[in-house]
Amino acid sequence: MNFNAITIRDIARALQLSVSTVSKALRDSYEISEKTKKLVVEYAEKNNYRPNPIAQSLKKGHSKSIGIVVSTIENQFFSQVINGIESVAYQAGFNVIFTQTHESYEMEVKNVDQLAHHSLDGLLISLSTETKDIEHLKLLHKRGLPIVFFDRISNEIDTHKVIADNFKGGYDATKHLIDSGYSKIAHITSPPNISITKERLAGYNQALKDAGLTVPPEYIKHCSHGGRDIGEIENSLNELLALKERPDAIFTTSDRITTTTLLLLNKLGIKIPEQIALVGYTNTTLADALNPPLTSVYQPAFEMGQKAAEMLLNLILSKRPVTEFETVTLPTQLFVRKSTAPREV
Amino acid sequence: MNFNAITIRDIARALQLSVSTVSKALRDSYEISEKTKKLVVEYAEKNNYRPNPIAQSLKKGHSKSIGIVVSTIENQFFSQVINGIESVAYQAGFNVIFTQTHESYEMEVKNVDQLAHHSLDGLLISLSTETKDIEHLKLLHKRGLPIVFFDRISNEIDTHKVIADNFKGGYDATKHLIDSGYSKIAHITSPPNISITKERLAGYNQALKDAGLTVPPEYIKHCSHGGRDIGEIENSLNELLALKERPDAIFTTSDRITTTTLLLLNKLGIKIPEQIALVGYTNTTLADALNPPLTSVYQPAFEMGQKAAEMLLNLILSKRPVTEFETVTLPTQLFVRKSTAPREV
DNA sequence: TTGAAAGCGCTACCAG
DNA sequence: CTGGTAGCGCTTTCAA
């Protein structure tokens, strides 16, 4: 409150008391008489006094706020995660400060730096697709900043982590395609350096293997910017469609890649699932209303946010240094819809 | 940085200098010799010194952060707005702190209060659907907190505002339906107390009037929670469908109401637009991929966020009190798609 | 039960 | 050019 608010001093002066007495009275200290307390509290209330949290922060050494770094809020998955984070942070009286990397490593470093030096008590982060090196985080972590990873994590820092079961998500999606009669299954995904890509890809590969299927390496497309621009998704898709051995199904990861693929397929007039089936990771609430209704791998995003926030709060509030860390894995759900209807033979 | 960071004092001690000299050297003051500056700056850099922004805030009286209050981030419109806000705030070196009201007046009051007393430099707000009274904001505004309204605004506070052209959005949508051969046009919208509802409704009414059409009052449905729960949308829709004079088209407002209506209609097996046409406000990027592709009123959400943030920053950074305020109105766009295909007679 | 005073980290004023 | 000191608003010993 820079806008000339009433301070503890003002009320001390008005009541002919000392600053410390007022401070104690406000915090309901046992050292202060009921009478004085009442006097102070009433005056404070009447004049709408609020302690200046900046001063409190400076004194106490913490700011009651946590930072969030995500790639972009304009993605249902992340907005749901943030929603979850906010809900628990709010309950605990913590503020939430957030920034977006737009999948850029440089932005990530800058954001983290800015946040870290804006005195927050903890950091919640999902790495950008470009991020390979996490020195920027290691440094802060070493200096004592509590960090919890979610979604796109790194194993180079020993701390709490929350992820969805990416392997199973990939496995289930692929297996479902196989069970529905598809065998030439392509995969459009994010860059191979980030955790979720590897895990989902592993699930995909395992499902193929378990079914005794093999696919040519050209069936796996990595969008180096995680689908940040439509162009790279379009290229991947076109390349797949141009293959002599054209895939009969596609498994996509991430909201952006999934919905864009659907959009493009529709635009090209390619019938789903008749000409090509589609299953993808997405948290959109509109999967049922899409054309066709889209079989989707859904992640419990809200719960992921809640869990991550809880873990971070634990770290922050813990009296003694935490040395035991856990990685929580949340289940994904496969919602079967028309885009993967059993293949007609 | 509560995690034992290096302070200006540490470096003063290490270099056998005074605190003030170090402070000045760091701020590149003309009073300090080049030699000392170099010494200090190098030491600071080597030891990764960062000024404690909390202390700076306390000293300077501002925090370099702005607060955002929206109903829910899990709505493409708002996430796009926030995206816009963040982009300009970031450029200006401001942090963004956000909270959600979930359309509850009580939450709004609490959030505003919490934010306001968390020492921010300015506030960006879109009112909750429940909000009728804005004393909570008036008070802060009177005390000097810069506020900019966007989307759901109030005229009870004289300040900058950014809105989309809601009247025209409503008018265009309705006129388009009329031009496409529909005449029994219903309207499902938010509660009548919020600005956007009134404006869009006015546009709807005007378009009907201009076409010489009248509709029974039962054609206008207000969802008292702005569509926060599906139930109220479902009820409105069912009531409309049960009317003896059943509407042949529906105009909906807000992402939530629009997409839910589409979902429900699909579920009921009602053909769009054959049995009932649909046009709605929504900022979803998936309108083209919906079943059927949805004619939508699109608001320049990102630009709205940018504009609102710019205005707020102006207010914050302005040396002298601002007394001239403006209300910026951004154009909406009508994207015509299949859900309002010309009526076959 | 109350108050004086120190100090969180920084900036700014005034002396030297 | 450098340093001492006050003070932002609050909490917290320590005395009284």
Side-chain angles (χ1 to χ4, degrees):
Chain A
M1 277 196 318
N2 41 5
F3 38 106
N4 53 305
I6 167 174
T7 78
I8 217 169
R9 256 243 263 298
D10 297 326
I11 115 161
R13 223 179 339 243
L15 264 31
Q16 299 279 48
L17 287 169
S18 81
V19 171
S20 40
T21 303
V22 173
S23 172
K24 285 174 195 161
L26 254 13
R27 338 197 75 246
D28 199 28
S29 160
Y30 65 95
E31 319 177 56
I32 305 296
S33 72
E34 284 309 317
K35 216 179 85 193
T36 315
K37 271 187 202 167
K38 192 157 165 266
L39 195 68
V40 170
V41 169
E42 273 172 7
Y43 184 89
E45 223 146 68
K46 195 159 54 112
N47 293 75
N48 211 268
Y49 165 83
R50 300 298 157 127
N52 177 333
I54 294 244
Q56 284 179 317
S57 295
L58 182 59
K59 184 71 196 175
K60 299 196 193 149
H62 61 247
S63 62
K64 279 270 195 181
S65 56
I66 63 179
I68 305 184
V69 179
V70 296
S71 61
T72 170
I73 196 182
E74 202 190 331
N75 170 318
Q76 295 247 1
F77 171 72
F78 284 118
S79 58
Q80 289 164 16
V81 171
I82 292 180
N83 202 165
I85 292 171
E86 204 257 355
S87 72
V88 347
Y90 182 81
Q91 285 302 325
F94 276 70
N95 271 103
V96 166
I97 303 177
F98 87 95
T99 61
Q100 314 183 63
T101 65
H102 298 289
E103 307 293 12
S104 145
Y105 169 69
E106 196 193 330
M107 280 287 279
E108 180 177 301
V109 173
K110 275 194 197 162
N111 287 348
V112 165
D113 199 64
Q114 206 210 110
L115 282 178
H117 296 105
H118 215 273
S119 310
L120 30 76
D121 297 338
L123 184 68
L124 250 19
I125 184 169
S126 169
L127 267 13
S128 93
T129 49
E130 274 182 23
T131 304
K132 288 166 183 139
D133 177 88
I134 58 160
E135 271 314 313
H136 53 303
L137 293 169
K138 280 187 187 163
L139 197 74
L140 291 169
H141 188 245
K142 222 177 287 169
R143 276 164 61 196
L145 179 70
I147 297 179
V148 170
F149 285 99
F150 66 92
D151 184 45
R152 281 124 75 148
I153 67 176
S154 165
N155 287 322
E156 291 181 41
I157 290 182
D158 198 22
T159 183
H160 290 320
K161 287 154 201 170
V162 189
I163 51 173
D165 194 338
N166 290 302
F167 178 87
K168 188 152 183 304
Y171 188 92
D172 288 351
T174 311
K175 176 147 194 320
H176 165 68
L177 284 172
I178 297 169
D179 289 348
S180 302
Y182 302 93
S183 57
K184 292 183 277 184
I185 303 170
H187 184 31
I188 307 181
T189 185
S190 334
N193 54 294
I194 59 174
S195 58
I196 55 172
T197 305
K198 289 183 217 152
E199 297 160 13
R200 293 172 190 176
L201 180 58
Y204 160 85
N205 280 327
Q206 187 65 46
L208 289 174
K209 196 173 161 205
D210 285 357
L213 291 172
T214 48
V215 298
E218 310 91 77
Y219 270 27
I220 298 170
K221 297 288 177 194
H222 290 283
C223 293
S224 51
H225 299 292
R228 199 181 52 194
D229 57 0
I230 296 188
E232 56 177 356
I233 302 175
E234 201 161 12
N235 287 344
S236 300
L237 185 59
N238 286 337
E239 285 169 23
L240 287 176
L241 295 175
L243 253 31
K244 64 259 118 190
E245 188 83 40
R246 184 162 146 176
D248 57 12
I250 304 180
F251 163 45
T252 54
T253 57
S254 97
D255 259 273
R256 193 64 161 278
I257 296 178
T258 298
T259 54
T260 303
T261 301
L262 176 67
L263 235 21
L264 291 171
L265 249 16
N266 276 343
K267 205 155 96 186
L268 291 171
I270 295 180
K271 290 245 178 335
I272 309 170
E274 291 80 2
Q275 295 178 264
I276 202 157
L278 179 63
V279 52
Y281 264 81
T282 174
N283 266 45
T284 180
T285 45
L286 294 175
D288 253 319
L290 293 171
N291 178 29
L294 182 68
T295 296
S296 61
V297 180
Y298 174 88
Q299 304 182 78
F302 184 85
E303 292 75 11
M304 190 183 284
Q306 286 185 308
K307 190 70 203 168
E310 279 164 20
M311 288 172 125
L312 184 63
L313 254 22
N314 273 344
L315 251 31
I316 293 172
L317 270 16
S318 165
K319 296 297 173 202
R320 48 194 161 186
V322 179
T323 52
E324 294 275 295
F325 300 106
E326 54 173 336
T327 296
V328 172
T329 303
L330 268 22
T332 56
Q333 266 180 87
L334 182 73
F335 287 101
V336 175
R337 300 195 182 85
K338 214 185 132 200
S339 72
T340 58
R343 179 159 199 185
E344 299 174 16
V345 201
Chain B
M1 274 194 322
N2 42 3
F3 37 106
N4 53 305
I6 167 174
T7 79
I8 215 168
R9 254 245 265 294
D10 297 325
I11 113 163
R13 221 176 345 239
L15 263 33
Q16 299 279 46
L17 288 168
S18 80
V19 172
S20 40
T21 302
V22 174
S23 173
K24 284 174 195 159
L26 253 14
R27 337 195 75 245
D28 200 26
S29 160
Y30 65 95
E31 319 177 58
I32 305 295
S33 73
E34 284 309 319
K35 215 179 88 194
T36 317
K37 272 187 201 167
K38 192 156 166 268
L39 196 67
V40 171
V41 169
E42 273 174 5
Y43 185 89
E45 222 145 69
K46 196 159 53 111
N47 293 76
N48 211 268
Y49 165 82
R50 300 297 158 128
N52 177 334
I54 294 244
Q56 284 178 318
S57 295
L58 182 60
K59 183 74 197 171
K60 298 198 194 148
H62 62 247
S63 61
K64 279 270 196 180
S65 57
I66 63 179
I68 304 184
V69 179
V70 296
S71 61
T72 171
I73 196 181
E74 203 190 329
N75 169 318
Q76 296 246 0
F77 170 72
F78 284 118
S79 59
Q80 288 164 15
V81 171
I82 292 180
N83 202 165
I85 293 171
E86 204 255 356
S87 72
V88 347
Y90 182 81
Q91 285 302 324
F94 275 70
N95 271 103
V96 167
I97 303 177
F98 88 95
T99 61
Q100 314 183 64
T101 65
H102 298 289
E103 306 293 11
S104 145
Y105 169 70
E106 196 194 329
M107 281 287 279
E108 180 177 302
V109 173
K110 274 194 198 163
N111 286 349
V112 165
D113 199 65
Q114 205 210 112
L115 281 177
H117 296 106
H118 214 274
S119 310
L120 30 75
D121 297 339
L123 184 68
L124 250 20
I125 184 169
S126 168
L127 266 13
S128 93
T129 49
E130 275 182 21
T131 304
K132 287 163 185 145
D133 177 89
I134 59 160
E135 272 315 311
H136 55 302
L137 293 169
K138 280 188 188 163
L139 196 76
L140 291 169
H141 189 244
K142 222 178 286 167
R143 276 163 61 195
L145 179 71
I147 299 180
V148 169
F149 285 99
F150 66 92
D151 184 44
R152 282 123 75 145
I153 67 176
S154 165
N155 287 322
E156 290 181 40
I157 290 182
D158 199 24
T159 184
H160 291 319
K161 287 154 201 171
V162 190
I163 51 172
D165 195 338
N166 290 301
F167 178 87
K168 187 152 185 304
Y171 188 92
D172 289 351
T174 311
K175 176 147 194 319
H176 165 67
L177 285 171
I178 297 170
D179 291 347
S180 302
Y182 302 93
S183 57
K184 294 182 279 184
I185 303 169
H187 185 31
I188 307 181
T189 185
S190 335
N193 54 295
I194 59 174
S195 59
I196 53 173
T197 305
K198 290 183 216 154
E199 297 161 12
R200 293 172 192 178
L201 181 58
Y204 160 84
N205 280 327
Q206 188 64 46
L208 289 173
K209 198 174 159 203
D210 287 356
L213 292 172
T214 48
V215 297
E218 310 91 77
Y219 270 29
I220 298 169
K221 297 288 178 195
H222 291 284
C223 293
S224 51
H225 299 292
R228 198 182 52 195
D229 55 0
I230 296 187
E232 55 177 357
I233 303 175
E234 202 162 10
N235 288 343
S236 299
L237 184 60
N238 287 336
E239 286 169 24
L240 286 176
L241 295 175
L243 253 30
K244 63 257 125 214
E245 189 82 41
R246 183 162 148 175
D248 57 13
I250 305 180
F251 164 44
T252 54
T253 58
S254 98
D255 260 274
R256 193 64 162 277
I257 296 178
T258 298
T259 52
T260 304
T261 301
L262 176 66
L263 235 21
L264 292 170
L265 249 16
N266 276 344
K267 206 155 94 186
L268 291 170
I270 295 181
K271 290 245 177 337
I272 309 170
E274 292 80 0
Q275 294 176 265
I276 201 156
L278 180 65
V279 51
Y281 265 81
T282 174
N283 266 45
T284 180
T285 45
L286 294 176
D288 252 321
L290 292 171
N291 178 30
L294 181 68
T295 297
S296 61
V297 181
Y298 175 87
Q299 305 181 77
F302 185 83
E303 293 76 10
M304 190 182 284
Q306 284 186 308
K307 190 68 203 171
E310 279 164 19
M311 288 172 126
L312 184 65
L313 254 21
N314 274 343
L315 250 32
I316 293 171
L317 270 16
S318 166
K319 296 297 174 204
R320 47 193 162 188
V322 179
T323 53
E324 295 275 294
F325 299 107
E326 55 174 334
T327 296
V328 172
T329 303
L330 268 21
T332 56
Q333 267 182 85
L334 183 73
F335 287 101
V336 176
R337 299 195 183 85
K338 212 185 135 204
S339 71
T340 57
R343 181 162 197 181
E344 299 173 18
V345 201

